[in-house]
Amino acid sequence: MAQERAEVVLNPELCKGCGRCIDACPKHAISLGAEINQSSGMSPVGIDYGVCNHCGLCITACPEPHGLGHHQYDFTRRADAQSRPESVPPRRIPLPELEPVVLEGNHAAAIGAILAGCRHVFGYPITPSTEGAELMARLLPQLGGVFLQACSEVATVNHMYGCGGAGLPTMTFTSSPGFSLMLEGISYLIGAELPGVFVNVMRPGPGLGYIGPEQSDIKLVCRGLGHGNTHAIVLAPTSPQEMLDLTFAAFELAFRYRNPVVVAADGYLGQITGRVSLPDSMIEPGLPGWAVWGDKAHKGNLNTSILQDWAELERHNERISAKYREMERREQRSATYRAEGAHTLIIAAGTPARMAKAATARLRREGRSAGLFQPVTLWPFPIDALREPLKRAERLVVVEASDGQLEDELRLALQKANIGGIPIHHLRHMGGILPTVDEIYDTVRHVTEVEH
Amino acid sequence: MTTSALYTHFARHAGGAGLKGASTHYCAGCGHGLAHKFVAEALVELGVQDRTIMVSPVGCAVFLFYYFDTGNTQAAHGRAPAVALGHKLANPEAIVVSYQGDGDLAAIGLAEIMHAAQLGIPISVVFVNNAIYGMTGGQMAPTTLTGQWSTTTQDGRGPLQGAPMRVSEVIAQSDGAMYVERCALFDQKQRKRCKNAIKKALRLQLEGRGLGFVEILSECPTHWRMSSREAEAHVRDVLSTVFPLGVIKDEERQPWFTLPKPDFSPERVLAAIGASDAAPPRHCRGFPEHIDAADVSIKLAGAGGDGAQTAALLLTKAAISEGFDSTHIPSYGPESRGGTSYADVHVAREEVLSPGAPEPHALVAFNAPSLEKFASTVRPGGLVIYDSSVIRTVPDVAAGVRVVPVPCTAIARELGNARVKNVVALGALQEALRLLEPASLLAALGRSLAGKSEWIAVNEEAFRRGGSAAAGRS
Ligand code: SF4
């Protein structure tokens, strides 16, 4: 009988000497060791092979996977390096020429996500973003997708971490207080280099604030995405059309950089209904080689943000940082309206940029030299495109629905670009009040006349 | 010979160098290693190793991915079940295991595990309970025993720190948790039961029946300040009296979890979106320049339920199908569920810029507070239409503003449906303002009532009656 059993082998270097095997051995063949193993620094147990009948019960009691076994552990053996499978690229499917549709901004973003291939949406209701989740809950089951209502925003972002980590496009709708709660998870997404799209339909704070339109989270999305050295591309739409277009684009960017992307819309943009033209193609997602998908091919993959070795963690940060620099080089987006040669340049994003455009048109009709520069990416700030209109501009007027958060981004960008000396004026509103066309017009006239 | 889903060489543990490439980072006698071995063996025995994703927690098991030769994801503290659900919904074929300690699962991650257990989406949860925070150095856990010393309960866990939480019993209350068992590791019999329990939880997932939850009372000799063998005895004699061992819940449920494959056929997608390549017929000959050269703004205001938003949306849709740009922005939030509700509409030749209507060309007011609030904002030469069935007094308006009373409610009642008063108002607005053509609005109305054809006649009649009333023909 005993001969048929595989031999029980102790690997003394791997035994920590805990002794849990001692009581497991019915033959009392094992005892605590007295000598310190020179390579492990521990005192391994000893087995009396005169008594041991190789029943193997000690192996089941040993917490070390390779402490006790049936053969000597081979320290030279290395597992075959698991090769990462080829990525399956996403497929672009052409669409016929379609009539414009009439969509609410939240719905437009949802449809942008669907056209970008997103079939997995997680969310927690919060005004003024909820219609996006509601539409997803209605449409996704028709398209073999899933909308899961999470128990919180904290859970939402972690559902996304799992789903995005599996290599699929995933997104959520939220608004400022909910976005605050997601920051932890966003930091983890960035650390683990996972994609995910966040449509943040911003509302006023601090705290519960209320539900009107505000650009309250510019600081958060540009400078405060959780702990660590974090950044994400931040896209600021101005219309239902751009809610669709920029959400659509956000997925491509999220996968290109393996990083979250934020669509930062003020509350008005969630609620406004307007004309939307559909893109000329839609996307069927592929499967990236790095995905933790749950099959043999992807088995060697790991999503994590913990790196114990400080030097390695610094290198990891440097690699992420290199992605940020590439985003800064490649992904700046902006729009202008009559900015060329303008002496007064209005800087505005999101809904306030619409009012600023109307005010610019009026100023120009009256022969006043005004123009609009509209950052579409709030991060990276589109400083490169600003250089040209800055050559002629004599002053800037930042128009925003926050306490200078956009202006801070502008000032930082100017400072980093070594551009100084230009006076910066501002018009700000908060609490849900947006700057009006008249106010912008008056402000521009006032600052122009005061300076002269 | 035991086959197992653990790596033979732990390449991720300190780069796999030296002894670390072959031994765990756990303390001597720690129960985690055993729990790992039993999960790993069960995965192989069920033949699911290749499609398994292990979700590591934060805690001593944070480096689970050093050991498991499976797909691996490391989650934020307490969020492992949420991450696991993300994986399971992304790929329902994956076998997903959320492996968590007591701080992770029972303190910071309570919401996530409760939600997962209630949903019952088939994942497997391995809950290692050693009644202490190991990784951070021996602080109180939710499961720390009454009177137990820890670095944050220097005099033993007292009344102010509450009593130990019996997690499995709580989880068993959840409808989605089909199988809940509490096991231990202190002797051969318990170890065997533990492995079988893990296997059963995994099989439950494999069959798509629900969430399986295995709590393992595990030894932390280091922070219990005991030898390994004392720690085993402590589980046997003390821990398991507070946390009774055994099956707590074992229910049969038919396999239910299936997900369809995501659909990327453009036809299906466009149908779901409601997109079409058919151009709607146009009725307007040009932009209504008699109102404004480029951009007309209208405010519709009333109580929630007056239909101001619906009427505004109809206007927007009709204008867009005429090839103009148009926007609708509602007052939103709790007001729109009962209080005052107003909608701003713009119709622009080229592009609507500012979407609000602080100085509208026309106001439609369904109740007195709305008229009171907005009548004076209507720009000189503009138009005010109000429901004269419910509004008695008209406030001052700017010079040249035309004020048109329309008994919207009375007409709607005559038509037998008080809810069409907003369409009465739309008819009146069309007649008095001539923003679009009647046919554009009637077509938009027809599209919005698609599938409810029985409502078309009364709405069309309401529209006509509103027009007549505004023209003074009623
Ligand atoms: S601290 Fe406790 S739980 Fe952590 S590895 Fe050591 S014995 Fe195990």
Side-chain angles (χ1 to χ4, degrees):
Chain A
M1 181 76 194
Q3 285 87 333
E4 287 166 29
R5 286 178 166 152
E7 199 186 343
V8 167
V9 178
L10 174 74
N11 290 294
E13 306 91 330
L14 304 180
C15 172
K16 292 174 177 166
C18 72
R20 294 189 69 150
C21 50
I22 294 173
D23 296 322
C25 177
K27 294 279 176 197
H28 308 293
I30 311 180
S31 52
L32 282 176
E35 274 166 47
I36 291 178
N37 182 281
Q38 287 312 300
S39 46
S40 73
M42 310 266 194
S43 301
V45 295
I47 300 182
D48 180 351
Y49 282 108
V51 183
C52 168
N53 69 353
H54 299 284
C55 70
L57 287 174
C58 55
I59 299 176
T60 335
C62 176
E64 277 301 313
H66 306 309
L68 276 163
H70 291 299
H71 46 73
Q72 210 69 51
Y73 186 83
D74 177 0
F75 283 97
T76 63
R77 192 168 150 204
R78 290 288 174 271
D80 302 338
Q82 273 169 340
S83 61
R84 179 166 278 185
E86 289 285 313
S87 292
V88 178
R91 197 163 68 89
R92 196 169 275 277
I93 304 168
L95 294 176
E97 206 169 302
L98 297 157
E99 278 299 305
V101 285
V102 181
L103 293 174
E104 188 205 82
N106 281 323
H107 288 180
I111 287 171
I114 287 174
L115 291 171
C118 178
R119 298 289 180 275
H120 294 79
V121 177
F122 304 91
Y124 189 86
I126 181 165
T127 309
S129 74
T130 309
E131 292 83 3
E134 287 171 341
L135 188 70
M136 287 303 201
R138 189 148 58 79
L139 295 188
L140 287 177
Q142 301 170 32
L143 298 171
V146 184
F147 170 78
L148 185 73
Q149 186 165 325
C151 63
S152 67
E153 283 89 351
V154 175
T156 299
V157 64
N158 285 286
H159 294 317
M160 291 171 69
Y161 182 98
C163 187
L168 295 189
T170 181
M171 61 100 59
T172 191
F173 286 88
T174 190
S175 178
S176 309
F179 190 75
S180 285
L181 282 173
M182 291 177 177
L183 293 176
E184 175 203 47
I186 291 177
S187 170
Y188 278 76
L189 284 171
I190 293 172
E193 298 190 79
L194 299 180
V197 172
F198 295 80
V199 177
N200 178 8
V201 185
M202 300 177 285
R203 59 186 252 185
L208 209 43
Y210 204 50
I211 55 175
E214 205 187 89
Q215 298 175 305
S216 47
D217 298 340
I218 293 179
K219 175 192 63 177
L220 220 50
V221 294
C222 294
R223 304 281 147 206
L225 292 176
H227 55 285
N229 301 301
T230 57
H231 276 299
I233 295 172
V234 179
L235 302 162
T238 62
S239 61
Q241 180 71 59
E242 289 177 9
M243 287 290 273
L244 187 147
D245 294 343
L246 294 181
T247 307
F248 185 88
F251 283 91
E252 215 261 291
L253 293 169
F255 276 82
R256 182 188 303 161
Y257 293 102
R258 291 182 57 185
N259 201 62
V261 174
V262 181
V263 177
D266 56 76
Y268 247 41
L269 288 159
Q271 300 296 315
I272 190 173
T273 296
R275 176 178 63 184
V276 177
S277 300
L278 296 168
D280 59 8
S281 54
M282 55 170 260
I283 305 294
E284 175 172 355
L287 189 62
W290 52 258
V292 176
W293 175 248
D295 65 359
K296 193 176 172 69
H298 297 82
K299 185 162 66 97
N301 288 341
L302 162 67
N303 292 330
T304 187
S305 57
I306 187 170
L307 288 158
Q308 260 190 310
D309 183 293
W310 294 8
E312 202 188 329
L313 184 53
E314 182 175 47
R315 280 196 298 279
H316 178 62
N317 267 277
E318 283 166 350
R319 228 158 33 78
I320 291 175
S321 174
K323 293 199 295 186
Y324 299 153
R325 300 295 90 80
E326 193 184 336
M327 293 176 208
E328 285 174 332
R329 269 196 313 279
R330 292 182 50 182
E331 308 302 343
Q332 296 181 20
R333 295 186 188 204
S334 59
T336 55
Y337 176 68
R338 308 200 64 175
E340 63 297 334
H343 292 161
T344 303
L345 197 58
I346 304 173
I347 314 278
T351 301
R354 298 175 74 129
M355 286 70 159
K357 189 171 177 184
T360 304
R362 189 162 142 201
L363 290 157
R364 284 285 188 177
R365 272 199 302 276
E366 295 175 3
R368 296 173 199 278
S369 179
L372 167 67
F373 181 83
Q374 181 212 328
V376 174
T377 48
L378 302 183
W379 195 96
F381 193 91
I383 187 71
D384 295 347
L386 186 56
R387 286 174 195 273
E388 192 53 40
L390 273 181
K391 287 183 187 153
R392 296 289 301 279
E394 291 163 9
R395 68 195 67 80
L396 302 177
V397 178
V398 184
V399 176
E400 60 181 307
S402 89
D403 188 25
Q405 297 187 29
L406 180 64
E407 187 175 325
D408 284 348
E409 287 307 306
L410 167 73
R411 285 181 181 273
L412 193 55
L414 289 173
Q415 213 254 338
K416 284 186 172 181
N418 258 324
I419 304 170
I422 187 158
I424 303 177
H425 306 273
H426 64 248
L427 172 62
R428 299 170 184 168
H429 270 297
M430 291 174 279
I433 311 291
L434 294 173
T436 66
V437 180
D438 285 352
E439 285 177 315
I440 301 169
Y441 171 88
D442 290 344
T443 304
V444 170
R445 285 200 56 178
H446 178 73
V447 300
T448 314
E449 279 152 25
V450 166
E451 273 183 33
H452 282 163
Chain B
M1 148 129 203
T2 321
T3 50
S4 149
L6 298 178
Y7 293 115
T8 42
H9 174 231
F10 304 142
R12 289 181 181 130
H13 188 190
L19 291 182
K20 290 199 169 167
S23 59
T24 67
H25 70 290
Y26 297 112
C27 306
C30 174
H32 272 301
L34 286 170
H36 285 19
K37 278 172 65 168
F38 299 150
V39 174
E41 287 167 18
L43 290 175
V44 170
E45 286 167 27
L46 290 170
V48 297
Q49 176 184 357
D50 286 346
R51 55 169 160 140
T52 295
I53 296 170
M54 295 297 297
V55 184
S56 325
V58 169
C60 282
V62 62
F63 299 119
L64 203 72
F65 54 82
Y66 287 172
Y67 314 115
F68 275 86
D69 185 5
T70 60
N72 281 286
T73 289
Q74 197 285 314
H77 197 23
R79 320 298 176 215
V83 172
L85 288 181
H87 275 291
K88 190 71 183 177
L89 292 175
N91 178 12
E93 295 297 310
I95 297 296
V96 188
V97 181
S98 179
Y99 185 108
Q100 303 178 260
D102 40 41
D104 194 81
L105 184 140
I108 196 168
L110 260 186
E112 283 78 10
I113 189 60
M114 287 307 301
H115 189 234
Q118 188 61 21
L119 288 179
I121 291 173
I123 57 170
S124 309
V125 181
V126 175
F127 168 47
V128 177
N129 175 8
N130 55 19
I132 197 86
Y133 279 64
M135 189 200 211
T136 47
Q139 297 78 26
M140 181 186 67
T143 49
T144 292
L145 305 184
T146 300
Q148 183 182 334
W149 180 89
S150 76
T151 62
T152 50
T153 53
Q154 294 284 340
D155 298 322
R157 186 176 189 171
L160 198 57
Q161 287 90 31
M165 185 171 188
R166 289 181 190 82
V167 177
S168 284
E169 283 78 356
V170 176
I171 296 296
Q173 307 277 325
S174 314
D175 295 287
M178 289 293 109
Y179 169 66
V180 180
E181 180 167 355
R182 184 182 287 121
C183 313
L185 303 166
F186 57 77
D187 67 20
Q188 189 56 26
K189 190 171 135 220
Q190 303 306 326
R191 290 190 281 265
K192 207 166 168 173
R193 268 193 35 212
C194 179
K195 168 154 162 219
N196 287 338
I198 291 168
K199 205 164 161 183
K200 178 156 177 173
L202 286 166
R203 189 176 292 120
L204 201 68
Q205 175 175 183
L206 197 54
E207 293 166 359
R209 292 176 191 272
L211 182 135
F213 187 95
V214 180
E215 175 174 348
I216 302 172
L217 300 184
S218 174
E219 297 80 4
C220 178
T222 303
H223 295 302
W224 293 356
R225 303 186 166 185
M226 294 178 187
S227 74
S228 304
R229 295 164 75 194
E230 285 165 352
E232 283 186 337
H234 180 68
V235 175
R236 183 186 64 219
D237 301 335
V238 182
L239 232 61
S240 62
T241 59
V242 179
F243 305 113
L245 299 176
V247 175
I248 296 162
K249 181 176 182 182
D250 186 2
E251 282 182 9
E252 268 300 302
R253 180 172 180 188
Q254 287 313 303
W256 67 275
F257 181 73
T258 51
L259 285 179
K261 265 190 122 50
D263 190 334
F264 298 101
S265 81
E267 298 74 24
R268 293 288 302 274
V269 171
L270 293 180
I273 295 173
S276 131
D277 55 1
R282 290 191 177 164
H283 308 278
C284 296
R285 271 182 296 276
F287 190 74
E289 283 170 5
H290 61 281
I291 314 172
D292 192 283
D295 186 336
V296 179
S297 67
I298 297 163
K299 189 182 288 288
L300 297 96
D306 277 342
Q309 303 299 342
T310 319
L313 262 180
L314 272 174
L315 265 183
T316 302
K317 288 181 176 169
I320 288 172
S321 67
E322 293 292 347
F324 304 130
D325 191 21
S326 180
T327 57
H328 157 249
I329 176 93
S331 61
Y332 53 89
E335 299 97 325
S336 61
R337 281 140 223 160
T340 58
S341 160
Y342 65 89
D344 292 345
V345 173
H346 275 256
V347 177
R349 187 198 292 272
E350 301 285 338
E351 182 186 4
V352 176
L353 292 171
S354 183
E359 294 165 19
H361 291 87
L363 167 71
V364 177
F366 290 99
N367 65 7
S370 303
L371 187 63
E372 195 64 44
K373 188 167 176 192
F374 296 118
S376 63
T377 68
V378 176
R379 65 179 75 183
L383 168 71
V384 172
I385 288 175
Y386 68 95
D387 186 348
S388 55
S389 317
V390 296
I391 303 173
R392 298 279 162 256
T393 51
V394 179
D396 289 343
V397 293
V401 170
R402 217 160 22 118
V403 180
V404 181
V406 176
C408 304
T409 304
I411 293 174
R413 289 226 178 92
E414 273 174 43
L415 294 172
N417 188 338
R419 287 177 53 193
V420 300
K421 69 177 168 189
N422 60 344
V423 180
V424 175
L426 266 188
L429 181 69
Q430 171 58 33
E431 172 64 30
L433 194 63
R434 301 194 183 273
L435 176 71
L436 304 169
E437 288 294 321
S440 2
L441 288 155
L442 288 170
L445 196 57
R447 282 195 298 276
S448 73
L449 293 170
K452 297 176 212 148
S453 54
E454 69 276 17
W455 292 105
I456 290 182
V458 64
N459 274 281
E460 289 187 352
E461 183 59 14
F463 187 81
R464 256 190 302 279
R465 292 283 302 274
S468 302
R473 294 194 298 266
S474 63

